[in-house]
Amino acid sequence: MFGIGCTMSLEDFQRKETQSSKSLCVGVFLQTMINPLAGFVLAILLDMEKHEALAMLTIASGPTAAYAGVLTFWGRGNIALSVCIATLSTALSIGMMPMWFYFYSSTWSQEFFIAAYPVDIALYMLLIIGPAALGMSFRRCLPRVAKQLARICSPVFLVSVVACSVLFLVFHRDNFKVEWQMYMSCFLLSFIGFFLGFLMAISLRMPYDVCIAISLAVGSSNGPLAITVALHSFDEAPEQFVMDVLSLPTIYALFAPIEGILWSLVYKTIDEMFMKGHPAVCGTEEEA
């Protein structure tokens, strides 16, 4: 997020597309209202076991991950809007995660209840706002250096995603010995978010960079936060049950960024081939 901050300025947050209540509300609505429903439907359609379904609901009810800003940068979307969606959805998750989990989990069990602790939410908000604000300040003072740092941080993120995935696969193989439904659910949850985000944004005739930001934000749920919430919420359950619950968010946290990278590259390719500098080919967005 520091590298992303090096590409932004306060003027980016003052743009009409970023300030518009429509673009922000669409992104937050999809993330906090539609994603939990998508997770619930996937759990039913894939005939998940209790621990798998509860894990899916924990992920799906979570907020946008911080790395959505990096994906938006690669896809040439509206980075400031992506940061706003991630920040607001994270703040709302303190109530949204327990509410949607309680609402949907009764299909499998009424034994468990999750809680998003304020300290955890504050920490994840700090991880979004802090580095981004620091990068923006750095750009203001040393714009040329900030530009170079942004170019360095971007591939570093890619290398870290690949390296973490490989190392975790090597040292924690047991976490990945699960049914195919688990992998399919991780892929489909992100896919639905990416697809619906872009579809709704383009249907509302928003600019292309806004469509990208909303799509990549909605498809990038916060896997690490889901793991943190699960650890706190299921700590009194049998150890094997806790391990089973943690398998799905672990798989999601590792592979969702990779799927997001592919989507961002597709958006970037479309931009280079057809858009030529982000004209509002999706339409124009009026101030809501």
Side-chain angles (χ1 to χ4, degrees):
M1 289 304 296
F2 173 76
I4 293 303
C6 288
T7 69
M8 296 190 300
S9 64
L10 289 177
E11 288 74 18
D12 294 326
F13 292 91
Q14 296 171 354
R15 289 176 55 192
K16 180 179 69 174
E17 296 86 353
T18 306
Q19 288 187 331
S20 172
S21 59
K22 183 194 294 185
S23 57
L24 183 59
C25 286
V26 167
V28 174
F29 170 77
L30 289 171
Q31 183 67 42
T32 60
M33 307 292 263
I34 303 303
N35 263 8
L37 176 61
F40 173 72
V41 173
L42 284 174
I44 291 178
L45 292 179
L46 295 174
D47 194 24
M48 289 185 170
E49 299 291 336
K50 180 174 73 172
H51 66 274
E52 297 170 344
L54 296 180
M56 169 56 70
L57 294 176
T58 305
I59 299 170
S61 60
T64 297
Y67 67 80
V70 182
L71 301 180
T72 304
F73 170 71
W74 284 344
R76 298 184 178 178
N78 189 317
I79 303 172
L81 176 60
S82 178
V83 172
C84 289
I85 293 174
T87 303
L88 183 54
S89 64
T90 301
L92 292 174
S93 67
I94 194 170
M96 289 295 184
M97 289 188 75
M99 181 184 74
W100 288 124
F101 184 90
Y102 176 79
F103 185 77
Y104 290 121
S105 65
S106 59
T107 302
W108 293 273
S109 173
Q110 295 182 337
E111 180 182 357
F112 299 102
F113 181 79
I114 66 171
Y117 292 139
V119 174
D120 295 329
I121 299 302
L123 176 60
Y124 279 96
M125 288 185 66
L126 182 62
L127 289 176
I128 298 171
I129 299 173
L134 184 61
M136 290 170 62
S137 301
F138 199 87
R139 180 188 179 185
R140 187 178 181 86
C141 299
L142 300 168
R144 292 185 178 179
V145 178
K147 186 176 181 180
Q148 296 300 320
L149 285 175
R151 292 178 178 177
I152 294 172
C153 291
S154 181
V156 166
F157 171 76
L158 177 60
V159 172
S160 65
V161 169
V162 175
C164 289
S165 299
V166 171
L167 290 174
F168 206 93
L169 284 169
V170 171
F171 294 105
H172 300 276
R173 297 179 182 177
D174 291 341
N175 290 72
F176 300 91
K177 295 177 181 179
V178 295
E179 299 292 333
W180 65 269
Q181 290 95 331
M182 301 278 273
Y183 291 97
M184 181 61 69
S185 65
C186 290
F187 167 78
L188 288 177
L189 182 63
S190 293
F191 180 87
I192 291 171
F194 293 134
F195 180 76
L196 285 184
F198 188 84
L199 181 63
M200 179 168 284
I202 199 173
S203 299
L204 294 172
R205 299 187 60 78
M206 294 180 179
Y208 184 64
D209 62 337
V210 172
C211 296
I212 294 172
I214 292 175
S215 170
L216 295 176
V218 177
S220 304
S221 291
N222 196 326
L225 177 58
I227 294 174
T228 302
V229 170
L231 283 171
H232 290 322
S233 303
F234 300 105
D235 58 344
E236 295 183 2
E239 182 178 355
Q240 185 58 48
F241 183 86
V242 175
M243 295 302 297
D244 291 338
V245 168
L246 289 176
S247 292
L248 185 59
T250 300
I251 294 172
Y252 181 88
L254 288 176
F255 292 108
I258 298 176
E259 186 177 352
I261 290 171
L262 296 178
W263 277 82
S264 66
L265 294 178
V266 169
Y267 288 139
K268 179 181 179 181
T269 301
I270 293 174
D271 179 80
E272 291 176 344
M273 294 178 63
F274 302 109
M275 304 308 168
K276 298 182 179 179
H278 313 309
V281 295
C282 298
T284 58
E285 182 185 49
E286 301 296 332
E287 185 72 25

